[in-house]
Amino acid sequence: MGIELAHVQRIDRSDASAIIQTIKQDGCCIIKNFTDVETVNKVNAETRPYLEADKPWKGDLFPPETRRCTNLVGRSKTVRDTWIVDPLIRRITSTFIDKTTSNYYGETKHTYTSEAILSIAMTFDIGPGAKAQRLHRDDKNFHIDHQDQTETGYQVGSDVMMNFMVPGVKTTYENGATLAIPGSHLWDSDRVPKTGETTVAEMDVGDAWVMLGGLYHAGGANITSQDHRILNGFFFCRGYYRQEENPYLCNSAADVLSWSPEVQRIMGYELSSPNIGFVHFKTPIQHIRGDRIEEFGDFDASQEAK
């Protein structure tokens, strides 16, 4: 008897509760109607010059047929002002990636929440002939030791990162749609993923793929003769972790100051509560603005004595 493969569930963006429940159960899902064709076309136009200027990768991380647009938030105004600040993304990342803890200062209990920030954002253009990636977990960069949850069920808080992928074109098995193993976010670190356990996450333009960092997946092989598979990826991590892509050296101070406060927060220019990331006892954005701070005090009001 063969393995019964789990299907990737497809849920409309209007049902956020069902999306969150499915992520808990499967570690992933496709969000239908996440965005619209017009917005996707704008992003395609904004990223195209950078994709065309990119060079083949020499190594194992990307097939040589792949082209990339790094610093996507800095380079695409549409991504910056529309997708990464989408309230649905914030609701999902706050559920799975935000971290809240409590401790005592003396006999007073204080509670802090570190909000998710963007670890990396990049557009991938996978050209004809590109081979499939090996199955992997994206949270390998954060050295996570996964515990078995197949019997207990998923424990919210056990993942430290998650990603969203918005296709620039229809993705199919033939042009290399993502291969995934729904439910593999529950596996421990010793279980070996098998290609025969994967299912294909094909998407229409307007969809979005969301998955936890502990889900086994891989980019599929592009077996077409001329089609390109374009994906815009946003990878979020806990606010006190080191980001995969360094936004502080990618973007000028003038550019950062032109962003909305929410984009600045998502990109790491505010502090991770209570104290991570200050510059001379200022928040990064205060430092960039050149704010004069007359009196220094606790960054997080919840730390103050009551």
Side-chain angles (χ1 to χ4, degrees):
M1 180 180 296
I3 298 174
E4 183 177 349
L5 300 179
H7 295 288
V8 174
Q9 298 194 55
R10 301 166 188 272
I11 304 170
D12 192 84
R13 71 163 291 147
S14 62
D15 197 347
S17 295
I19 291 170
I20 289 170
Q21 184 57 41
T22 300
I23 295 170
K24 292 177 182 177
Q25 174 185 304
D26 296 343
C28 62
C29 76
I30 290 173
I31 303 172
K32 299 296 296 181
N33 300 307
F34 172 76
T35 188
D36 56 70
V37 174
E38 180 181 3
T39 302
V40 171
N41 287 340
K42 287 181 181 178
V43 174
N44 285 345
E46 289 167 348
T47 58
R48 177 51 48 191
Y50 301 102
L51 295 172
E52 291 178 347
D54 194 28
K55 304 298 182 183
W57 186 269
K58 294 183 178 180
D60 190 52
L61 188 59
F62 300 107
E65 296 83 5
T66 297
R67 298 295 181 269
R68 297 147 297 269
C69 172
T70 57
N71 189 28
L72 181 56
V73 171
R75 288 171 163 174
S76 170
K77 186 177 188 301
T78 305
V79 168
R80 184 168 64 245
D81 294 344
T82 306
W83 288 346
I84 68 162
V85 295
D86 190 297
L88 178 59
I89 286 184
R90 180 66 195 122
R91 180 170 175 183
I92 295 171
T93 57
S94 67
T95 299
F96 292 97
I97 306 303
D98 284 14
K99 180 71 171 180
T100 299
T101 54
S102 298
N103 60 63
Y104 283 88
Y105 266 95
E107 297 181 1
T108 305
K109 191 173 187 179
H110 301 273
T111 299
Y112 313 105
T113 297
S114 176
E115 296 184 355
I117 59 173
L118 199 66
S119 177
I120 184 172
M122 186 182 301
T123 300
F124 307 87
D125 181 337
I126 297 87
K131 295 181 180 179
Q133 291 180 307
R134 289 180 288 177
L135 289 165
H136 62 280
R137 284 169 155 160
D138 280 342
D139 62 11
K140 62 185 183 300
N141 287 332
F142 298 116
H143 300 269
I144 304 305
D145 292 318
H146 286 274
Q147 306 301 312
D148 181 79
Q149 299 182 69
T150 55
E151 298 296 329
T152 62
Y154 182 69
Q155 304 298 307
V156 173
S158 56
D159 275 271
V160 302
M161 69 161 295
M162 66 189 313
N163 81 40
F164 299 79
M165 290 281 192
V166 181
V169 298
K170 181 179 177 65
T171 68
T172 65
Y173 171 78
E174 288 77 17
N175 69 16
T178 298
L179 306 174
I181 307 178
S184 60
H185 65 307
L186 304 174
W187 297 358
D188 65 25
S189 297
D190 292 326
R191 182 165 172 178
V192 180
K194 304 292 186 182
T195 303
E197 298 173 285
T198 62
T199 189
V200 184
E202 296 184 316
M203 288 190 284
D204 296 316
V205 175
D207 293 347
W209 164 255
V210 54
M211 70 177 177
L212 296 170
L215 187 87
Y216 277 108
H217 70 287
N222 187 338
I223 60 175
T224 70
S225 60
Q226 60 183 13
D227 293 346
H228 286 249
R229 178 173 63 97
I230 299 171
L231 288 172
N232 304 284
F234 323 110
F235 302 73
F236 290 82
C237 70
R238 288 193 171 157
Y240 51 87
Y241 277 19
R242 185 173 180 176
Q243 292 150 284
E244 185 173 353
E245 184 178 36
N246 189 323
Y248 317 107
L249 299 180
C250 289
N251 301 285
S252 70
D255 286 340
V256 173
L257 291 174
S258 74
W259 300 347
S260 71
E262 179 64 2
V263 172
Q264 292 168 350
R265 184 199 67 76
I266 290 170
M267 295 299 288
Y269 288 86
E270 291 292 346
L271 298 191
S272 171
S273 175
N275 301 315
I276 298 296
F278 65 80
V279 183
H280 302 307
F281 295 114
K282 299 178 184 180
T283 69
I285 200 63
Q286 288 174 330
H287 175 73
I288 291 174
R289 287 198 305 254
D291 291 358
R292 287 177 59 94
I293 307 297
E294 300 298 335
E295 293 184 356
F296 293 104
D298 291 340
F299 293 114
D300 193 310
S302 68
Q303 189 167 282
E304 297 173 0
K306 297 180 181 178

